């Protein structure tokens, strides 16, 4: 593994339930047996999931300490959890990500090694949350990886628990006359998932491995090989040759993916 990032700033404190099988897959995935040891798909070390090493059985810091593209793929199938003061929780399975490599990546906020007050989380330890605002209205959640300035954008989730609460949180930003949101529309985009989980700038520079309000847990299914579609990222028309690089990854056949690329899916078959 490459060297860990230096921790530039201390992470500040982070400021209705139900089940959903709404986003059916094209075929059954490989299931983890109940009670079986859950370890990364590259079998690096089971310490990532050892009991007592992280709160709530969440993924520990070792899981995040890997190259950006690898982490973007490994995120697929893992579960993002949002906890509130009243004890309620929201859960969603990650079904779409984008890798931003930093340095030479012209689509990255850290291109050319540029470090600012806004993007400092991208240069902190793997697993650090980088939350930024777009259009002055909406937030997006990224997670730092190995490599200075490298991070993974979480693009879409499959809602699993707390759908009514997600719908209420999303409705605060929508017109009263708008059509009711369908389940698969609750988190099918980077700013949508932040709205649905009430993720704001307060989470910026927080640590997913030790967080008590937002963390990530191992998913119930292994996502790998032909299950993963690699295609171009969204909304980076300014990035020259980097526009077409296959650095967006999603679970093939999942209804909650924000933008499906049929051409890329055929290539991946």
């Amino acid at each position: 593994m490459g060297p860990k990032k230096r921790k530039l700033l201390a992470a500040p404190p982070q400021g209705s339930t139900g089940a959903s099988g709404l986003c059916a897959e094209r075929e059954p995935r490989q299931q983890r047996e109940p009670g079986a040891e859950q370890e990364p798909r590259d079998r690096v070390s089971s310490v990532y999931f050892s009991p007592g090493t992280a709160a709530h059985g969440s993924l520990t810091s070792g899981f995040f300490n890997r190259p950006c593209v690898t982490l973007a793929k490994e995120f697929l199938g893992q579960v993002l959890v949002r906890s509130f003061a009243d004890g309620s929780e929201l859960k969603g399975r990650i079904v779409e990500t984008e890798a931003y490599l930093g340095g030479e990546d012209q689509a990255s906020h850290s291109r050319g090694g540029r470090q600012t007050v806004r993007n400092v989380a991208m240069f902190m330890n793997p697993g650090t949350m980088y939350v930024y605002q777009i259009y002055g209205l909406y937030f997006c959640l990224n997670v730092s990886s190995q490599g200075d300035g490298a991070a993974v954008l979480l693009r879409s989730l499959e809602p699993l628990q707390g759908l009514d609460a997600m719908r209420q949180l999303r409705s605060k930003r929508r017109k009263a006359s708008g059509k009711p949101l369908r389940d698969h529309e609750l988190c099918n985009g980077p700013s949508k998932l932040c709205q649905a989980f009430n993720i704001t700038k307060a989470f910026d520079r927080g640590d997913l491995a030790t967080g008590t309000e937002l963390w990530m847990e191992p998913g119930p299914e292994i996502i790998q090989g032909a299950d993963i579609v690699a295609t171009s990222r969204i909304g980076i028309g300014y990035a020259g040759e980097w526009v077409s690089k296959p650095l967006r990854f999603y679970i093939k056949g999942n209804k909650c993916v924000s933008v499906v690329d049929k051409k890329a899916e055929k290539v991946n078959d």
Side-chain angles (χ1 to χ4, degrees):
M1 284 190 176
K4 288 188 177 181
K5 297 180 184 178
R6 58 191 180 278
K7 191 165 186 179
L8 303 179
L9 295 174
Q14 301 174 354
S16 105
T17 63
S20 172
L22 58 135
C23 301
E25 314 299 341
R26 59 191 177 117
E27 60 184 23
R29 309 293 184 188
Q30 182 177 349
Q31 301 288 328
R32 294 189 177 101
E33 296 181 4
E37 183 181 67
Q38 296 174 322
E39 56 183 8
R41 290 181 282 280
D42 56 7
R43 309 302 182 196
V44 174
S45 171
S46 61
V47 71
Y48 298 147
F49 302 95
S50 297
T53 56
H56 315 288
S58 58
L59 297 172
T60 61
S61 57
F63 174 84
F64 302 100
N65 189 20
R66 58 184 73 199
C68 191
V69 171
T70 300
L71 186 61
K73 294 178 181 179
E74 291 290 338
F75 274 162
L76 297 176
Q78 313 299 351
V79 176
L80 189 69
V81 184
R82 175 72 161 96
S83 177
F84 295 93
D86 63 0
S88 63
E89 290 183 352
L90 307 178
K91 294 187 178 185
R93 186 172 72 131
I94 300 170
V95 299
E96 183 181 4
T97 62
E98 288 181 349
Y100 287 87
L101 309 183
E104 64 178 347
D105 187 346
Q106 292 301 304
S108 176
H109 288 181
S110 59
R111 57 187 175 275
R114 179 177 59 186
Q115 182 182 144
T116 66
V117 173
R118 180 196 190 201
N119 75 359
V120 69
M122 301 180 79
F123 294 84
M124 293 173 70
N125 289 342
T128 301
M129 289 179 277
Y130 169 42
V131 181
Y132 66 87
Q133 199 166 24
I134 57 174
Y135 310 122
L137 295 171
Y138 308 112
F139 295 100
C140 294
L141 172 62
N142 302 255
V143 184
S144 68
S145 67
Q146 281 183 10
D148 279 350
V152 177
L153 171 68
L154 302 189
R155 275 202 62 89
S156 297
L157 304 176
E158 175 185 344
L160 299 176
Q161 178 176 310
L163 275 68
D164 289 342
M166 293 181 200
R167 191 169 280 106
Q168 291 175 7
L169 287 164
R170 285 289 314 279
S171 67
K172 293 179 180 179
R173 291 298 188 93
R174 304 181 74 244
K175 295 180 180 180
S177 59
K179 294 182 180 179
L181 290 170
R182 292 173 290 183
D183 290 350
H184 72 270
E185 296 174 323
L186 291 172
C187 305
N188 64 336
S191 62
K192 293 177 183 179
L193 75 84
C194 283
Q195 290 175 27
F197 274 57
N198 195 27
I199 297 171
T200 67
K201 190 69 175 178
F203 287 92
D204 187 50
R205 305 178 196 169
D207 187 351
L208 268 180
T210 60
T212 58
E213 295 181 48
L214 189 65
W215 65 88
M216 200 177 291
E217 296 178 348
E221 299 170 330
I222 295 175
I223 309 299
Q224 59 187 354
D227 294 336
I228 299 175
V229 178
T231 185
S232 57
R233 294 172 291 185
I234 305 296
I236 58 167
Y238 55 85
E241 64 178 346
W242 289 85
V243 170
S244 59
K245 291 188 180 297
L247 294 173
R248 178 166 68 98
F249 308 97
Y250 67 82
I251 299 176
K252 187 172 184 179
N254 192 287
K255 192 176 181 181
C256 299
V257 171
S258 64
V259 180
V260 171
D261 188 332
K262 291 295 186 182
K263 184 176 180 180
E265 289 185 2
K266 290 180 180 179
V267 172
N268 280 265
D269 282 338

